[in-house]
Amino acid sequence: MKEKIQIHDLTFVPYLPAEQIDKAIKRLSKEIEEKLGGRELLFVCIMNGAFMFAAELLREVDGDYEVAFARYSSYEGTSSTFALKEVMPLTVPLEGKTVVIVEDLIDTGYTMKCLKDKYLSEGAEEVYIATMLLKESALCNDIEADFVGLKIDNKFIVGHGLDYNERGRLLKDIYILEE
């Protein structure tokens, strides 16, 4: 890991190494197999942030399943707008399916609450949430992730799919905003 990185006007320092993230992803894949194994699953990767996590997670999950992609936005800069904007809607029917939403980070829980309600209203039989990272202290919605990779501090981070104004996503490690 680099000691410091600069993205736009902000400086970030090391927080989670790729090895720790990889270990959590392998554990999550086993938890998903144990709880949902044998079902026909539809994994919905929430773009853009969850693309790295989803690719790594789904490569580890044993079984035959569907994968779809959707993109929503509720962030501007470093904070939530609490207004969900559908940028790229799902293009597969949800009727009767067991859906696993694959998300990079849950902080306020706003997006996941909206999506779980939306997918159930569109006919999904069950909706589960798998997140790489959870900021438990930031939650302000009645939502629980079913599969959590790592619980982290309520700080702004980049890397491993997470960005600051569209930069920093491709870092293999995760960095935290320098204080």
Side-chain angles (χ1 to χ4, degrees):
M1 289 180 88
K2 296 178 183 176
E3 284 186 36
K4 287 186 180 187
I5 59 168
Q6 185 76 29
I7 300 176
H8 298 300
D9 57 330
L10 299 179
T11 302
F12 296 85
V13 295
Y15 187 58
L16 297 171
E19 297 78 23
Q20 186 177 356
I21 299 164
D22 292 343
K23 186 177 177 181
I25 290 170
K26 284 181 171 60
R27 177 184 45 78
L28 273 184
S29 71
K30 299 301 176 223
E31 289 176 12
I32 290 170
E33 288 173 13
E34 288 171 14
K35 185 169 184 175
L36 304 177
R39 300 182 196 188
E40 290 187 29
L41 303 176
L42 168 62
F43 287 92
V44 177
C45 174
I46 305 303
M47 302 297 281
N48 285 340
F51 78 98
M52 287 178 73
F53 170 53
E56 294 164 353
L57 177 68
L58 298 179
R59 187 175 42 232
E60 295 290 330
V61 176
D62 188 30
D64 187 24
Y65 47 80
E66 287 182 81
V67 179
F69 302 88
R71 186 173 180 196
Y72 305 89
S73 176
S74 65
Y75 257 77
E76 194 171 297
T78 62
S79 58
S80 178
T81 62
F82 290 100
L84 189 65
K85 182 171 81 172
E86 189 171 52
V87 179
M88 185 178 84
L90 267 179
T91 58
V92 297
L94 298 178
E95 189 70 37
K97 294 188 179 179
T98 298
V99 175
V100 179
I101 300 172
V102 181
E103 178 66 302
D104 55 354
L105 168 70
I106 296 175
D107 50 15
T108 66
Y110 177 78
T111 299
M112 288 301 99
K113 173 80 171 119
C114 291
L115 291 184
K116 187 169 186 174
D117 292 347
K118 176 180 174 50
Y119 293 171
L120 287 168
S121 74
E122 291 177 1
E125 187 172 311
E126 300 175 288
V127 177
Y128 295 91
I129 299 169
T131 186
M132 180 173 68
L133 303 168
L134 173 65
K135 292 182 181 179
E136 231 174 4
S137 65
L139 282 173
C140 56
N141 283 280
D142 184 25
I143 192 76
E144 287 187 34
D146 302 283
F147 307 100
V148 176
L150 298 163
K151 293 179 181 178
I152 63 169
D153 297 326
N154 187 14
K155 305 285 184 180
F156 191 75
I157 56 175
V158 297
H160 214 93
L162 300 150
D163 74 297
Y164 168 53
N165 290 338
E166 299 303 324
R167 296 288 186 251
R169 285 189 199 283
L170 300 179
L171 298 164
K172 66 179 182 173
D173 304 297
I174 292 178
Y175 292 79
I176 192 167
L177 185 61
E178 184 178 55
E179 293 183 3

